[in-house]
Amino acid sequence: MVGSEALPSPRQHGVTKPLSLAGPSEADLLRTKKLNKFLVDSGLYESQEEAAKREKVLGQIKQIVVEWVKELTRLRGYSDQMVEDANAVVFTFGSYRLGVHGPGADIDTLCVGPSYVNRDEDFFFGLHEMLTKKEEVTELQPVPSAHVPVMKFKFEGISIDLLYASISRSVVPDDLDISDVSVLYNVDEPTVRSLNGCRVADQILKHVPNVEHFRTTLRCLKFWAKRRGVYSNVTGFLGGVNWAILVARVCQFYPNAVPSMLVSRFFRVYTQWRWPNPVMLCAIQEDELGCTVWDPRKNPKDKTHHMPIITPAYPCMNSSYNVSISTLRVMTEQFQFGNRICEEIELNKAQWPVLFEPYMFFESYKNYLQVDIVAADPDDLRAWKGWVESRLRQLTLMIERDTQGKLQCHPYPHDYIDPSKQCSHNAFFMGLQRKQGELVQENQQFDIRGTVDEFRHSVNMYMFWKPGMEIYVSHVRRKQIPLYVFPDGYKRPRLPRAASHQPVCGLGSAEKTSVKRKGEGVERDSPQKRESISPSPISSPFMSPLSHSLVNGLEPVGSFKNEEVGVIGCSSGSSIVTNEDAGLEKTSFGSNCQELSEEDSQSAVDKLSRSNAKLRMLLSELEQSDYEVRLGINSMRKD
């Protein structure tokens, strides 16, 4: 039935009544058709060949874990009958179980074994050793210290995240019902978390009114979140299960809506959502087995959660505990962006591709933290990167804590590689800005030396540290962002502000480049003239600490105030960020209020260029003589 009139709904889904029972109009159906075509054209669906290969790989993994359990049973002296009955079962969860995985996506898997096969020794050592001998297995990386302990590897090129759960049974049947609460009897919390991945996925599918509409909408919004830089649980944003629950709740609010309507309603709902009110698909079940459930009335820690998204399977937990004040701010801004674009799409003023335009992170802030990590070889870097990435969220929380939330961080959930480096290398970035509307006293600074030192100690706790694993943190301005982070290898030309840069010890040097406005006939910044400022290969374990000089930015033309909001690094020196530098930046869908936009007329540009030429020279001289300050940030090595 087509039309905006209400359609019958067989039963209520969710803890409240629907917001609307309206069905789609002809325009909604047309927009859904266009959305589906866009998703297909974007390559979000895997081929039948790849789907068959995944099924084959899962079957091979099942054979390996059964062989592993039988061998352990034999070695521990159990009877021949016990060895014959010994078994392990492999379940999938995450996007694969929900039916929204795409080409090249990893498969989240869970191995359920008997009570006498444990995780710490048998899984992370015994099975690990067995996998190392399989030629199909590459990039094997155990992560036993993760919140949900996992073993990562590739099997015939397909990425696998394998969890393990030992349940209170001596024999695990092939037809084990993992949704039965009895599987949670007498197991530890990591095992509960491991089992709940599958249980939650099943419950999500049970709590949506239309599974196919849910899948299309979720596939769409996961793609959007990745394009807009807000898809990453480990970084403090949202992961797959978080997005699934948010989408499922919108499906409950609008049970008769089609995907184009659900995408639009998604942004409308979460732009107006009053966090920290929780998002729940069903009522929280009572305590049945003594497991801790999310309840801010009883658990003080639950009161600190900023964006509670509650899992629908017992024991109900907050799946988004990683979200911080800063990352919630970023996601809220992106929801507002999505809502604005969807309104334009419904008015036929925009098309679907506009919604998925990538977020211009490196044009959105003036100041960044750059975290570079290196290791002796790719295998070591893979392990080191996993550990450091899991700790970056802590750096965001530490900075929020130590600056009372006045200095906001935007961790970007992407890593970059400098191809010019001899060593194995990765780099992460965080945008920095002063909290909007925050009153700042003259000469006020943010001292983060102790913060970074604390971060260094947490990173150095890595139990698998090896020589050559190093981490460096530097404070860089937008103009100093290395070229390798940009897709085309060079930056989009931007109008410069008068500034000078000192060489970065251990990071190369940033050359002064000349970028003139249109019509002035001076060369623009180019890849040949712009030197990378990523870390140089480590030649000695006793190299001097990293340092980075940051010139104090001046106020706009006509103002020479020196109101500083400083960001001070570790050890010696300081990094100074002015009120203007650390203030609110406009994102890629707005122009920077401190600089001329690309839409300014040519005549206005030429006029400003002529009238301000002398003033720019004066500002440059003042900066070079009076406003240079150094920032020193220690190399964080294993002590």
Side-chain angles (χ1 to χ4, degrees):
M1 181 176 180
V2 176
S4 58
E5 61 269 18
L7 297 178
S9 184
R11 67 185 180 89
Q12 176 179 313
H13 295 270
V15 294
T16 61
K17 293 182 179 180
L19 295 179
S20 172
L21 293 176
S25 65
E26 291 287 355
D28 292 321
L29 294 175
L30 179 60
R31 280 191 288 268
T32 296
K33 183 178 179 180
K34 291 181 178 179
L35 177 60
N36 283 325
K37 183 178 185 303
F38 174 80
L39 298 179
V40 171
D41 293 344
S42 298
L44 298 188
Y45 293 86
E46 69 177 359
S47 65
Q48 292 183 353
E49 292 77 10
E50 186 174 359
K53 183 178 179 180
R54 288 177 183 272
E55 291 294 332
K56 178 184 175 183
V57 165
L58 288 172
Q60 291 174 289
I61 293 175
K62 160 72 173 175
Q63 293 177 0
I64 290 172
V65 296
V66 169
E67 178 186 344
W68 163 61
V69 169
K70 287 183 179 294
E71 181 63 20
L72 283 174
T73 307
R74 183 181 299 108
L75 291 175
R76 290 178 179 168
Y78 288 97
S79 66
D80 292 342
Q81 183 61 48
M82 190 73 168
V83 172
E84 183 179 347
D85 294 339
N87 190 34
V89 182
V90 173
F91 295 94
T92 61
F93 62 100
S95 62
Y96 190 84
R97 194 175 186 93
L98 290 172
V100 295
H101 62 285
D106 59 1
I107 305 179
D108 295 314
T109 54
L110 167 68
C111 174
V112 178
S115 57
Y116 57 86
V117 178
N118 65 60
R119 180 191 307 106
D120 295 336
E121 296 177 3
D122 299 329
F123 179 72
F124 279 113
F125 288 93
L127 182 59
H128 178 272
E129 184 178 355
M130 180 180 290
L131 290 174
T132 59
K133 299 175 182 178
K134 301 289 184 180
E135 61 181 15
E136 304 94 337
V137 175
T138 59
E139 301 183 14
L140 184 59
Q141 177 191 351
V143 192
S145 59
H147 186 65
V148 181
V150 60
M151 193 134 59
K152 297 173 177 284
F153 56 92
K154 286 188 176 181
F155 197 101
E156 294 187 355
I158 294 180
S159 297
I160 303 292
D161 284 358
L162 180 63
L163 313 182
Y164 179 72
S166 172
I167 62 174
S168 300
R169 298 191 185 186
S170 57
V171 177
V172 179
D174 280 326
D175 60 352
L176 176 69
D177 182 8
I178 201 169
S179 64
D180 192 326
V181 74
S182 65
V183 299
L184 302 177
Y185 281 121
N186 197 27
V187 297
D188 59 14
E189 287 194 11
T191 300
V192 172
R193 291 192 288 266
S194 298
L195 289 166
N196 257 17
C198 304
R199 291 161 47 79
V200 166
D202 289 345
Q203 287 298 312
I204 290 174
L205 293 176
K206 289 179 180 179
H207 282 89
V208 294
N210 187 308
V211 172
E212 288 308 312
H213 289 172
F214 162 76
R215 284 174 171 160
T216 301
T217 307
L218 177 56
R219 193 183 295 271
C220 170
L221 285 164
K222 286 180 63 176
F223 182 51
W224 174 85
K226 292 174 182 178
R227 297 284 284 178
R228 302 301 298 178
V230 289
Y231 189 95
S232 174
N233 183 278
V234 69
T235 313
F237 294 106
L238 302 181
V241 67
N242 311 127
W243 291 104
I245 295 172
L246 290 183
V247 170
R249 188 67 181 114
V250 173
C251 291
Q252 292 178 341
F253 283 139
Y254 304 94
N256 298 314
V258 293
S260 64
M261 299 170 65
L262 292 171
V263 170
S264 175
R265 287 0 176 234
F266 177 93
F267 292 116
R268 184 182 304 174
V269 166
Y270 293 115
T271 295
Q272 302 177 46
W273 196 270
R274 296 181 180 179
W275 304 106
N277 288 327
V279 172
M280 299 186 297
L281 300 183
C282 58
I284 294 178
Q285 298 181 35
E286 295 298 325
D287 191 354
E288 298 179 22
L289 303 176
C291 297
T292 302
V293 298
W294 186 84
D295 188 346
R297 298 168 300 179
K298 299 179 181 178
N299 308 319
K301 189 175 180 180
D302 293 343
K303 294 181 181 179
T304 66
H305 295 164
H306 303 291
M307 192 182 188
I309 302 174
I310 311 305
T311 57
Y314 177 84
C316 298
M317 307 174 185
N318 176 23
S319 61
S320 53
Y321 59 88
N322 276 352
V323 174
S324 67
I325 295 174
S326 290
T327 52
L328 176 58
R329 171 187 62 84
V330 172
M331 286 187 284
T332 300
E333 291 173 355
Q334 292 306 315
F335 290 156
Q336 292 168 349
F337 165 79
N339 188 50
R340 184 163 61 252
I341 299 301
C342 282
E343 288 177 351
E344 293 179 358
I345 292 174
E346 291 184 338
L347 294 173
N348 295 320
K349 294 182 178 180
Q351 298 299 319
W352 287 114
V354 178
L355 180 65
F356 300 90
E357 289 181 353
Y359 177 61
M360 307 302 289
F361 175 72
F362 293 106
E363 294 187 7
S364 298
Y365 297 89
K366 294 183 180 178
N367 295 282
Y368 297 84
L369 280 182
Q370 178 176 339
V371 180
D372 292 279
I373 61 172
V374 294
D377 56 57
D379 289 336
D380 284 355
L381 180 66
R382 190 178 304 110
W384 184 227
K385 173 190 170 185
W387 169 251
V388 173
E389 192 172 21
S390 71
R391 306 307 301 172
L392 287 177
R393 185 181 71 90
Q394 296 301 320
L395 178 58
T396 301
L397 295 175
M398 291 172 185
I399 292 175
E400 287 180 356
R401 178 198 65 197
D402 294 345
T403 63
Q404 291 78 48
K406 295 179 181 179
L407 183 63
Q408 295 178 328
C409 298
H410 178 176
Y412 198 50
H414 295 283
D415 60 278
Y416 299 89
I417 300 173
D418 185 354
S420 68
K421 297 306 168 190
Q422 300 295 327
C423 53
S424 298
H425 165 261
N426 271 112
F428 301 94
F429 293 84
M430 292 184 179
L432 296 175
Q433 71 174 14
R434 175 173 56 84
K435 183 178 180 181
Q436 184 182 12
E438 188 69 34
L439 296 178
V440 182
Q441 299 177 355
E442 186 174 356
N443 298 324
Q444 180 180 355
Q445 297 179 345
F446 293 125
D447 187 344
I448 61 170
R449 287 174 292 191
T451 307
V452 178
D453 190 52
E454 183 180 349
F455 175 65
R456 169 177 61 100
H457 282 89
S458 70
V459 169
N460 284 339
M461 295 295 290
Y462 185 47
M463 67 175 65
F464 300 107
W465 186 91
K466 295 180 181 179
M469 293 180 175
E470 311 285 350
I471 178 169
Y472 305 91
V473 179
S474 56
H475 184 181
V476 297
R477 298 191 68 177
R478 181 167 59 202
K479 295 178 182 179
Q480 295 173 304
I481 296 295
L483 295 174
Y484 59 78
V485 307
F486 298 98
D488 299 324
Y490 59 90
K491 297 171 67 175
R492 223 168 51 179
R494 296 185 62 90
L495 298 178
R497 295 175 59 218
S500 63
H501 302 287
Q502 297 296 321
V504 182
C505 175
L507 293 181
S509 63
E511 293 182 7
K512 294 180 184 179
T513 58
S514 178
V515 183
K516 263 206 171 182
R517 292 181 175 86
K518 197 173 186 181
E520 293 187 350
V522 179
E523 291 181 55
R524 293 187 180 274
D525 192 9
S526 67
Q528 290 76 21
K529 291 182 176 286
R530 182 73 154 52
E531 185 176 335
S532 171
I533 58 170
S534 59
S536 303
I538 297 175
S539 57
S540 168
F542 304 102
M543 64 184 295
S544 60
L546 286 176
S547 64
H548 179 72
S549 66
L550 180 61
V551 178
N552 177 31
L554 297 180
E555 291 291 320
V557 175
S559 174
F560 291 88
K561 294 185 296 181
N562 186 23
E563 298 175 358
E564 298 167 348
V565 179
V567 180
I568 303 178
C570 318
S571 75
S572 62
S574 63
S575 163
I576 303 300
V577 185
T578 66
N579 287 352
E580 180 230 350
D581 283 343
L584 181 65
E585 288 281 328
K586 294 202 175 183
T587 58
S588 59
F589 42 84
S591 61
N592 187 305
C593 63
Q594 303 293 343
E595 301 180 88
L596 296 175
S597 69
E598 295 179 358
E599 297 179 356
D600 287 336
S601 67
Q602 183 61 46
S603 60
V605 170
D606 293 339
K607 183 177 179 181
L608 284 173
S609 299
R610 290 191 299 271
S611 63
N612 292 332
K614 290 184 180 181
L615 185 54
R616 288 199 304 271
M617 293 175 61
L618 175 60
L619 295 179
S620 180
E621 292 174 1
L622 283 171
E623 285 189 333
Q624 294 180 38
S625 59
D626 297 329
Y627 290 93
E628 293 184 354
V629 193
R630 292 189 63 82
L631 159 67
I633 295 187
N634 278 336
S635 163
M636 296 180 232
R637 302 194 269 283
K638 187 76 172 179
D639 295 326

